[in-house]
């Protein structure tokens, strides 16, 4: 006789959950589903305005050198790199040490001249001077600053706010320069006022959005060091530091108005699931942000 076969083991029987267990489990599941997801990361804009400003400044400089036509106005012997650049060659170092056009050319194309702005009422020069540069060295320094500061800010805040900030700072720098040119009687050109405005706006953005920064003191000290170094350059000969200071102050004030962000910990209602109640709700902005916004707006309008 064969060996009797062993019966296969029956599967273990799991206890049937009670009605109370099912209700408690469903409550736990619903509670977990109501936990609000973290807010999405800040949207990064694709910068195009600041690169366009970069191209515009390069184009205007090329046009300035074309109009200048050093070989025709000064003679080939007084033009730098005439053999390679021809009509686009630079004026002599004695006339322009920055490798650029003549004083008369800059004045003709819209340079900031106190007599023509105040007595001639040519107010358009307050804006046109922002697109002119005294020379190739001047242009390269400003464009490197534009790419370093402008693109970063536009990526974070968008072209509308940064475009407004750029123009407000440039106008503020031109206006301050005109007030100081009453004594100097020189022609002032360059995007330096607008660029110092971008630098000032970075400082105001750091102050007004203080809660969003981790290493606050380190960020503040780094920013102050950069600002001091750039302002120190303005005390070199042939540099109009009044435009730098005016642009910086204008950008600082405009930054408090245009670059205010929600404080750290704020969650928008659109990111909270329906029916969920936030126990510790954080206000969108802090009191000091509203105070700085109001004061800066009044100073920009009345100043």
């Amino acid at each position: 006789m064969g060996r009797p076969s062993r019966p296969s083991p029956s599967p273990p029987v799991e206890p049937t959950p009670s009605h109370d267990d099912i209700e408690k489990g469903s409550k736990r599941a619903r509670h977990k589903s109501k936990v609000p997801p973290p807010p999405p990361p800040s949207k990064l804009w694709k910068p195009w305005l600041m690169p366009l400003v970069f191209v515009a400044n390069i184009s205007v400089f090329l046009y300035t050198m074309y109009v200048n036509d050093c070989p025709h106005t000064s003679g080939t012997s007084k033009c730098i790199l005439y053999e390679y650049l021809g009509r686009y060659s630079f004026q002599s170092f004695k006339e322009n040490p920055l490798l650029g056009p003549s004083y008369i050319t800059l004045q003709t194309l819209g340079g900031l001249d106190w007599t023509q702005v105040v007595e001639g009422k040519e107010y358009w020069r307050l804006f046109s001077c922002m697109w002119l540069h005294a020379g190739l060295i001047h242009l390269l320094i400003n464009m490197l600053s534009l790419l370093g500061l402008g693109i970063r800010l536009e990526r974070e805040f968008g072209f509308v706010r940064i475009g407004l900030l750029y123009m407000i700072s440039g106008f503020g720098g031109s206006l301050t320069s005109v007030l100081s040119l009453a004594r100097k009687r020189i022609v002032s050109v360059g995007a330096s006022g607008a660029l110092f405005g971008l630098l000032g706006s970075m400082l105001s953005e750091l102050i007004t959005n203080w809660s969003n920064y981790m290493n606050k003191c380190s960020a503040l000290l780094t920013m102050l060091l950069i600002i001091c170094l750039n302002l120190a350059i303005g005390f070199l000969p042939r540099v109009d530091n009044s435009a730098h200071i005016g642009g910086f102050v204008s950008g600082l004030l405009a930054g408090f108005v245009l670059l205010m962000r929600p404080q750290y910990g704020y969650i928008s209602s659109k990111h909270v699931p329906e029916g969920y109640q936030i126990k510790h709700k954080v206000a969108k902005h802090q009191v000091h942000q509203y105070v700085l916004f109001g004061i800066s707006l009044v100073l920009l309008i009345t100043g």
Side-chain angles (χ1 to χ4, degrees):
M1 293 180 63
R3 296 180 60 183
S5 60
R6 297 178 60 183
S8 58
S10 59
V13 179
E14 296 181 357
T16 304
S18 64
H19 177 73
D20 292 338
D21 292 334
I22 294 175
E23 185 175 356
K24 290 178 181 177
S26 62
K27 286 182 178 180
R28 286 195 297 268
R30 286 198 300 270
H31 178 71
K32 289 181 179 179
S33 65
K34 286 185 177 181
V35 176
S42 301
K43 175 185 175 183
L44 291 179
W45 298 76
K46 185 177 181 180
W48 62 268
L49 181 60
M50 291 296 104
L52 185 62
V53 171
F54 173 83
V55 174
N57 277 278
I58 299 293
S59 301
V60 170
F61 182 73
L62 291 175
Y63 176 72
T64 302
M65 297 308 301
Y66 176 83
V67 173
N68 184 67
D69 193 6
C70 178
H72 178 74
T73 56
S74 302
T76 58
S77 61
K78 296 183 179 180
C79 299
I80 300 175
L81 297 178
Y82 166 73
E83 297 81 4
Y84 303 97
L85 300 177
R87 182 181 184 127
Y88 295 89
S89 54
F90 308 115
Q91 299 294 136
S92 64
F93 281 116
K94 183 178 180 180
E95 185 173 358
N96 189 339
L98 297 177
L99 296 177
S102 65
Y103 171 92
I104 297 176
T105 301
L106 293 173
Q107 187 181 44
T108 302
L109 293 181
L112 193 61
D113 180 82
W114 184 90
T115 303
Q116 293 176 330
V117 172
V118 177
E119 298 179 358
K121 301 189 184 302
E122 297 180 0
Y123 303 122
W124 55 272
R125 291 180 178 270
L126 294 171
F127 294 97
S128 62
C129 66
M130 296 165 50
W131 307 95
L132 296 169
H133 285 85
L136 183 63
I137 298 174
H138 187 203
L139 177 71
L140 289 177
I141 293 173
N142 279 352
M143 292 305 99
L144 287 175
S145 301
L146 176 68
L147 294 176
L149 299 175
I151 291 181
R152 173 189 170 186
L153 287 170
E154 186 180 354
R155 184 179 288 115
E156 293 186 16
F157 296 99
F159 70 94
V160 174
R161 286 190 279 183
I162 301 306
L164 283 172
L165 201 151
Y166 186 86
M167 295 304 296
I168 291 172
S169 302
F171 177 77
S174 298
L175 200 58
T176 309
S177 182
V178 164
L179 295 176
S180 64
L181 288 179
R183 297 184 301 272
K184 296 180 181 179
R185 302 282 179 172
I186 62 173
V187 172
S188 178
V189 294
S192 302
L195 295 175
F196 268 84
L198 296 182
L199 194 60
S201 71
M202 292 179 69
L203 178 61
S204 57
E205 192 273 331
L206 172 63
I207 295 173
T208 193
N209 301 322
W210 187 252
S211 64
N212 293 320
Y213 284 86
M214 296 291 291
N215 301 319
K216 296 178 173 59
C217 293
S218 176
L220 180 60
L221 290 175
T222 302
M223 182 60 61
L224 291 176
L225 177 62
I226 295 173
I227 291 170
C228 291
L229 289 175
N230 280 274
L231 287 175
I233 296 174
F235 292 100
L236 296 174
R238 296 179 177 269
V239 177
D240 183 13
N241 207 28
S242 58
H244 296 175
I245 296 174
F248 177 82
V249 173
S250 300
L252 181 73
L253 296 176
F256 286 127
V257 175
L258 298 172
L259 305 184
M260 186 169 64
R261 289 178 173 178
Q263 68 167 314
Y264 178 78
Y266 168 76
I267 301 177
S268 175
S269 57
K270 65 182 179 181
H271 300 307
V272 180
E274 184 179 355
Y276 183 87
Q277 298 294 328
I278 301 178
K279 293 182 180 180
H280 305 287
K281 191 173 182 180
V282 178
K284 186 173 184 179
H285 297 107
Q286 294 179 317
V287 176
H288 80 273
Q289 291 179 294
Y290 291 113
V291 172
L292 291 172
F293 176 92
I295 295 175
S296 299
L297 185 61
V298 171
L299 290 175
L300 282 173
I301 294 174
T302 60

